[in-house]
Every structure is written in structure tokens, then in C-alpha cells.
Amino acid sequence: MVTADSVLKPYYLAHAERYNWPRRVDLSRIDVAGQKLADSVYTLLENGTNFDSLAAEFNSEKDLKEKAGEWGMYPDSSNALAAEAFGMKAGEFSKPERYNGTFSIIRVNKFVPPEPKTFEEARGEVSAQYQEYESNRLRTEWMERLRNEFGVKINQKTFDEVISKK
């Protein structure tokens, strides 16, 4: 029995150089509703209060609150906060900034250089590219069978007339 992985994995291995993560930044975020609260949290950070503790206490977004602000990995082009982070250093936090209707303070946890994607991470891309490859291969085979069975004759005079009218 043929499974998707039994076809896709060999394709991935043969073309693994195509599947790479770009340079990314690992971010944490404190997201609050108002400017005044954001400024207060920023002041606490400047005075040495632990970022994760403040994120767990003040984040307005439930998911960020539960994960003590852990936001994830982002390439520099994914959003305005990630783009800003690439101008910072690991361990630094930003001033409060309006983002998606709230005020956010980000902390750069670390930078991650470009690296290869695993098969699992690249599965969607691999599937799409394999389908395109297979479609082109089948189309080429079909056209070749038609050429072999029926032959191809080009009327050069008509072809030249069509080309010259463009």
C-alpha cells in the first residue's frame, strides 16, 4: 500500500536543499489594553522586574498569559514587531508599541540562523511541489504518447503568419 509519506519522503530527501527556515527571532510579548498600563509595565521592566512574571500577570491575551509571554519564532518579514526585533539584541525588550489595537512590549529571547526544515516542518511545501512535479511529468508523458501515436506536423507558413501578427 502506497502512503503519502512513502512518496513524499523520498522526494523531500532528493530536494532537501529547497526547504529551509529563514533567519528567525524567538520572541516573548507582553500585550496590554492601555498606554498607561503599558508604560507602568515598561517602568517595572526597566527597574529589573522579571519579564516572564510580568507577562504572566499582565498579559491581556489568555494564551500569552498562560505561556508567560512566550510568543514564538518569526522571520523578520512576518509582522511589525518581528521586524523591530531584528534591530535589537538578545535579552533586550522594547518600549511599548501599538500593535493590533493593543500595546505590546517584546523581548528578544534569541536569534536563530537559517536552518533546514525537517520533513514534518516542510510537509505542506513538499506535498505541493511533488504534486506539481508529478502533474508536469504525467502531462509530458501524455504529450509524448500523443506525438508518437499521431505524429506532429507543423505548417511552417501558417505558423510564421501567426507569429508575425503578434
Side-chain angles (χ1 to χ4, degrees):
M1 179 177 167
V2 175
T3 65
D5 281 0
S6 68
V7 173
L8 294 179
K9 190 125 189 193
Y11 184 83
Y12 163 79
L13 293 171
H15 302 93
E17 74 283 350
R18 295 180 184 174
Y19 309 107
N20 295 295
W21 287 110
R23 181 178 72 135
R24 295 171 293 162
V25 61
D26 179 26
L27 296 173
S28 290
R29 181 171 141 209
I30 299 173
D31 196 35
V32 297
Q35 177 77 55
K36 195 172 188 175
L37 179 56
D39 291 340
S40 296
V41 170
Y42 181 74
T43 300
L44 290 169
L45 286 168
E46 284 187 308
N47 291 326
T49 306
N50 180 278
F51 188 98
D52 297 341
S53 300
L54 292 173
E57 183 178 345
F58 290 105
N59 253 311
S60 59
E61 190 178 311
K62 183 181 179 201
D63 189 46
L64 285 172
K65 190 174 212 159
E66 289 173 355
K67 296 191 299 184
E70 186 181 314
W71 196 29
M73 299 260 247
Y74 295 91
D76 61 356
S77 60
S78 61
N79 63 60
L81 295 178
E84 179 184 342
F86 277 94
M88 298 168 60
K89 295 178 183 162
E92 271 189 305
F93 52 87
S94 70
K95 291 183 177 179
E97 185 174 320
R98 195 146 185 65
Y99 180 73
N100 287 345
T102 61
F103 292 87
S104 294
I105 300 169
I106 58 169
R107 179 186 64 199
V108 173
N109 299 320
K110 66 180 177 179
F111 292 98
V112 179
E115 62 185 350
K117 291 182 180 179
T118 64
F119 173 67
E120 290 73 24
E121 292 167 333
R123 184 186 306 271
E125 293 171 82
V126 172
S127 179
Q129 289 177 359
Y130 179 78
Q131 287 175 26
E132 184 177 341
Y133 161 79
E134 190 64 11
S135 176
N136 288 337
R137 186 186 68 76
L138 292 171
R139 184 181 311 107
T140 301
E141 278 183 13
W142 178 62
M143 294 298 289
E144 193 59 37
R145 279 197 314 271
L146 290 175
R147 280 189 190 97
N148 290 338
E149 186 175 339
F150 299 107
V152 175
K153 183 178 177 188
I154 297 174
N155 183 324
Q156 194 64 46
K157 181 180 173 192
T158 304
F159 179 78
D160 292 340
E161 287 174 9
V162 170
I163 294 300
S164 68
K165 289 181 184 180
K166 287 190 174 185

